[in-house]
Amino acid sequence: MSAAVKPKPDPDRPGRFLRNGAAAKSGLNKAILDKGWYGLEVALRSKARYTGSAIHKINPAYTSQTCPEPVCGKVEEKSRKSQAIFSCTSCGHTEHADIVGARNIKSKGQAAGLVVSGRGDPPGSAKRQAPRSTARAAHAARAAA
C-alpha cells in the first residue's frame, strides 16, 4: 500500500515525465507508515482479553481480486477492472472492489472463528463477563439496605 508511484513518460517530450501525483502519494505513504499499527493491535488484544473475545489476524493479500461467490472463488488480477470496480472474469459477478475485499476478509475470519460485524455483539451472543458495578449502582445498593 505504501509503494512508490511509477513515473509516466511524456510522449511529446522524450526524457520528460508527466505529473503522476507522486507528492500526494508520498504524503499518504508517510501517514500510513506513521501510524502505530502495533499499538492498535496491542490495544485490541487487551480489550479482547477483558471481554473474553478472540482476535484473528487475516492476510489481506488478493482479497480484492478473489471472487466472493462461494461457487466461484476464482483469483484473477484481470477481475479488478479499476480501483473501484471488480468484475469476475469467470462467473461475471460485479461489485465494488472494496466491498469484495471486505466480504472475502469476513469469510476468511468466519473460517477462523466468530466474527463480529463491527456494529456490536452478534445477534444471540451472550456476554462472557458480568458487567462491572458502577459507583451509582453501589450507592443505590447501600441506600436500599
Side-chain angles (χ1 to χ4, degrees):
M1 184 144 182
S2 60
V5 178
K6 293 180 182 173
K8 296 179 186 175
D10 189 347
D12 298 334
R13 299 182 296 177
R16 298 291 201 122
F17 296 93
L18 297 171
R19 291 182 164 269
N20 62 356
K25 178 66 173 154
S26 173
L28 176 64
N29 291 347
K30 288 177 185 173
I32 290 170
L33 297 173
D34 186 45
K35 303 298 176 224
W37 298 111
Y38 179 73
L40 175 65
E41 181 184 346
V42 168
L44 283 173
R45 289 194 183 279
S46 173
K47 278 294 186 185
R49 270 196 311 274
Y50 176 74
T51 61
S53 302
I55 301 290
H56 299 283
K57 290 171 71 173
I58 305 297
N59 184 3
Y62 306 107
T63 54
S64 64
Q65 297 175 4
T66 305
C67 184
E69 294 301 314
V71 293
C72 183
K74 182 170 177 144
V75 180
E76 177 82 40
E77 186 177 349
K78 294 176 184 169
S79 293
R80 186 78 185 257
K81 302 286 185 193
S82 69
Q83 179 65 27
I85 300 171
F86 173 87
S87 182
C88 182
T89 56
S90 179
C91 69
H93 175 80
T94 303
E95 198 170 1
H96 193 282
D98 291 342
I99 303 294
V100 167
R103 286 179 59 193
N104 285 328
I105 287 173
K106 184 176 180 181
S107 67
K108 282 183 177 184
Q110 285 173 333
L114 177 68
V115 173
V116 178
S117 68
R119 296 182 184 150
D121 292 327
S125 72
K127 291 278 188 185
R128 293 184 178 90
Q129 187 172 9
R132 293 187 296 174
S133 63
T134 61
R136 185 175 290 169
H139 179 69
R142 278 191 300 251

